Structure formats: structure tokens, C-alpha cells
Amino acid sequence: MLSFAGVLALLAIGILAIVVATPAKSTTGKSQSNDRGPDSCSPVIIAHRGASGYAPEHTLGSYALAITMGADYVEPDLVMTKDGQLISRHDNELGLTTDVANRTEFADRYRTQTIDSNAVSGWFTEDFTLAEIKSLRAIERIPDTRPGNARMDGAFQVLTFQEIIDLVKSLQISQRRTIGIYPEIKHSSHFKTLGLPMEELVVNTFHQNGYRDSDAPVYIQSFEINNLKELKRITNLRLLQLYDSKSLQPADQVLLGADITYGNMSTPEGLAEVAKYASAVGPDKSYIIPRNEDNSLGDPTSFVADAHAVGLKVHPYTFRAENTFLPKEFQSDNPLKEARGDLTGELQKFVEAGIDGLFSDQPDIALRFRGPCL
């Protein structure tokens, strides 16, 4: 009997063959059969870094599995290479998610730099060409929590943004539905200081692939503010403002010497300002239902109602099935680090709080909870 990892590997090989062999005919970003779109059902299910609870994040296997599970959107994080190519990694530091640390030919690329006011050591995408990046292989970010994923270390390359778009467009044919793409622009200010701005390149890539208007199956997200305002000026595609912890500031605002915090942005007045350039907000879950000191869920806040009052959709992050991520009341008794609890129970509480969509590492669980989408 094939292992789950073996099944995934075969799936990825088969999907890659389909992508290579099948022309992505749509020039609008929408499925030609157009049975349903990614916003047809509620809550919208966004596969966080693909189906990253089952395969290493941001890989062909992770994205393909998420799509075949039925996810409405796939979410690639975008960073830049030395030669100005968009690739999908959660961070520009490569040590956590690739085998670069074992590649002696790149040992001299290891360094320390400041990114978004934090000192970070490692190997960075901006020091590698796309060809060099393609020689690396993906590994699981959290192998202690997801040992099953770690069995696939070395199986997948790092993908470009265009390769993800090609995958999505090709799978729309067999899936007979429109699949959304939900990229996050990572470390925008950092890359701009290096002469590698991403915003126009992301927009041009979308526009060249037929994604142009506010009804396209796309959201572009960022934790920063000014790059979203810049995007608002150059595209009609929908934008989402991400929210980190309330006491923190967006990286671009720190550089400007401004005093705005994510907490300021979560007030009714702050949300009204965000609504001037964004269509939706992506808060940490605690903005909606904070946790008590014992890690149980507290009472819902007014965040969802306040956002809806100014016309913003609410797509919180991140829903994960492992005990280590769940509220106390939804954890199982299994002591293993990789043990899973009752994610469905947590989802129920947040849907009752009125959310419009959600990011999940295990989109299949969220999809079963939501039920059939016709």
C-alpha cells in the first residue's frame, strides 16, 4: 500500500503533467465552464500556503491538493529573487523551508540583516537568482508538529508566481469551477529598499493573465499600508489589509516614524480608513474572539460588525487542526505534538461570530464543515 506521502507525490507528478500538457485557455482568470466561483459560498475557504497541513507549504503538492480538496482560493506568499522574479515562500529567509543549509556551494551566502526592524540570520531570496532557487528543494517548516509532511522533504521545487497561476488555470478545467488566487506581498518595504519592488510586478503578472477587475477571482494582501494604497491606484483587483498583534505597527509605518498600530486600525474609525483602499480585512483570530488566560475562547468582539458596517469582508487567519494551535476546549487528550483536536468546533464559533471567509492549513476540514457548495 502506498504511503500518504507516496500518494501525494504521485498526485503532484500527475498534476505537473496536466499543467505541462494542458493549455490554460482562459484569458479572464475564470473557468470556461464557470460552474461556480470562489466567492459563491460562505464562508470562503482559503487554503493557507496550499493544503499546508498535509504537504510542505507553498509547493506543487500543497497547492494541487488544496484545489482537489475543493478550496475556493489558494494563498501564495510572494518574495523576490536577486534577478527580479516572484517566487512563493513565506519568508525571504530560505533556511526554514528549503535544503539550502545542506548545500555547501551556498554556504558563503549565509548572513545577518535587518528585516522589518528585526535582525534575521540565514540565506535570503534576494541573494539568489531564480536558477539557483530552482536548484533548491522544499522542506517542511514545522517537522515536529507535521512529521508526515517532513517525509516529503526534497520532493518539490520552489514555485514561481506564474507557475502557480498556470497550475490554477489548468486545474480549473478538470475541476469545472473558477479557483481564486490570494497572494500576500511579503516584506514590501524591505524589497523596495533593495531596488526590488513587487507591487507593479504582481499587478502586471495578474493583468497579463487576464485578472484585471474587481470581479476577478483575486485578492492581494499585505501587512503594510502604503503598498496597498499604491496598489489601489494601479489596479481594480481587490485588496485585503492584514492585521498583526494590536501593539505592533506595520513595517512601512515604522520606517515613516508614524505612530499608527494595528490596534488603532481595528477601531471603527480605523476600519473606515482601511475601507478607503481595501475590500476586506484579514485579522489574527484574536481580534474576533480573544483567548482567555487559560487558552480557552473568550467572548466575541465587535470587530466583525464594525468591519461590515464600513463594507469590509472579514477573513481571519489561521485555522489549524493540531492541538498546539487550538483553543483549550477543542484540544484532544492525545499528548503527541502532532495530535489533532476539534478544529470544527473552533470553526463553528467563528462562523457564528459572522466571518465571511477564513484561512486554513487543512481546507478539507473547513470544507466539510461548510457543506456542499452548489
Side-chain angles (χ1 to χ4, degrees):
M1 183 179 293
L2 281 174
S3 67
F4 185 57
V7 171
L8 276 176
L10 288 175
L11 172 64
I13 293 169
I15 292 298
L16 181 59
I18 292 172
V19 172
V20 171
T22 306
K25 295 180 180 179
S26 172
T27 59
T28 65
K30 298 180 180 179
S31 167
Q32 295 300 294
S33 59
N34 202 28
D35 285 356
R36 70 173 177 89
D39 301 300
S40 297
C41 297
S42 183
V44 168
I45 308 302
I46 306 144
H48 185 242
R49 311 177 197 174
S52 55
Y54 302 105
E57 65 187 40
H58 296 310
T59 60
L60 180 69
S62 182
Y63 293 127
L65 183 61
I67 291 168
T68 56
M69 284 176 167
D72 299 310
Y73 286 86
V74 292
E75 188 236 9
D77 294 324
L78 300 179
V79 294
M80 290 281 273
T81 65
K82 181 179 181 179
D83 49 348
Q85 301 298 310
L86 290 166
I87 61 171
S88 185
R89 292 287 90 189
H90 179 259
D91 302 294
N92 58 327
E93 199 287 302
L94 292 163
L96 287 174
T97 60
T98 75
D99 62 355
V100 66
N102 299 323
R103 301 289 293 275
T104 57
E105 67 270 35
F106 299 131
D108 62 352
R109 308 281 179 94
Y110 185 92
R111 65 187 179 97
T112 300
Q113 66 170 327
T114 299
I115 303 171
D116 299 345
S117 303
N118 298 307
V120 182
S121 298
W123 295 263
F124 300 96
T125 61
E126 60 263 36
D127 297 330
F128 290 73
T129 65
L130 178 60
E132 290 172 329
I133 292 285
K134 281 294 188 180
S135 75
L136 302 176
R137 292 297 178 268
I139 62 173
E140 171 56 36
R141 170 186 292 274
I142 47 174
D144 291 344
T145 303
R146 293 174 177 167
N149 290 12
R151 294 199 299 267
M152 287 172 272
D153 284 359
F156 301 107
Q157 285 187 332
V158 175
L159 294 175
T160 66
F161 186 33
Q162 184 60 55
E163 287 171 335
I164 295 166
I165 293 173
D166 291 343
L167 173 70
V168 165
K169 283 194 166 189
S170 295
L171 284 179
Q172 285 181 155
I173 299 169
S174 61
Q175 291 287 298
R176 297 186 60 79
R177 62 188 179 91
T178 298
I179 300 156
I181 307 175
Y182 211 125
E184 178 187 344
I185 294 178
K186 304 291 291 191
H187 309 300
S188 173
S189 293
H190 171 75
F191 280 106
K192 281 181 179 177
T193 63
L194 300 176
L196 294 169
M198 284 188 278
E199 285 70 22
E200 188 170 350
L201 183 56
V202 170
V203 167
N204 288 344
T205 302
F206 268 135
H207 288 182
Q208 290 163 9
N209 282 276
Y211 302 89
R212 293 181 173 273
D213 300 314
S214 60
D215 64 346
V218 164
Y219 281 93
I220 304 173
Q221 48 177 331
S222 176
F223 279 102
E224 299 189 22
I225 296 174
N226 287 345
N227 68 327
L228 288 174
K229 291 181 177 180
E230 175 188 347
L231 287 164
K232 180 70 173 177
R233 292 191 293 269
I234 63 175
T235 185
N236 291 321
L237 296 171
R238 291 173 294 177
L239 309 175
L240 177 137
Q241 175 70 65
L242 289 165
Y243 284 67
D244 206 335
S245 299
K246 288 186 177 182
S247 62
L248 297 179
Q249 291 185 268
D252 60 325
Q253 300 304 298
V254 173
L255 293 173
L256 291 171
D259 59 2
I260 187 170
T261 66
Y262 290 109
N264 301 145
M265 296 164 63
S266 70
T267 65
E269 296 77 16
L271 287 163
E273 287 299 311
V274 170
K276 293 177 181 178
Y277 59 86
S279 299
V281 286
D284 177 272
K285 293 183 295 185
S286 63
Y287 280 83
I288 297 168
I289 307 180
R291 295 197 188 182
N292 299 316
E293 289 186 7
D294 66 353
N295 197 37
S296 62
L297 286 180
D299 296 324
T301 70
S302 65
F303 183 92
V304 172
D306 293 340
H308 286 168
V310 293
L312 292 166
K313 299 287 188 183
V314 181
H315 297 169
Y317 68 91
T318 304
F319 291 86
R320 298 177 167 115
E322 293 88 357
N323 280 337
T324 189
F325 302 115
L326 287 169
K328 177 182 177 181
E329 62 266 44
F330 299 118
Q331 295 174 5
S332 69
D333 294 330
N334 191 326
L336 294 177
K337 192 167 184 179
E338 66 266 29
R340 295 184 178 183
D342 180 16
L343 176 57
T344 298
E346 184 187 26
L347 290 169
Q348 180 68 47
K349 294 294 185 182
F350 279 82
V351 169
E352 289 172 358
I355 64 172
D356 305 290
L358 59 96
F359 293 83
S360 180
D361 290 5
Q362 288 94 1
D364 58 322
I365 297 176
L367 287 158
R368 285 198 300 273
F369 166 75
R370 185 179 71 183
C373 184
L374 303 177

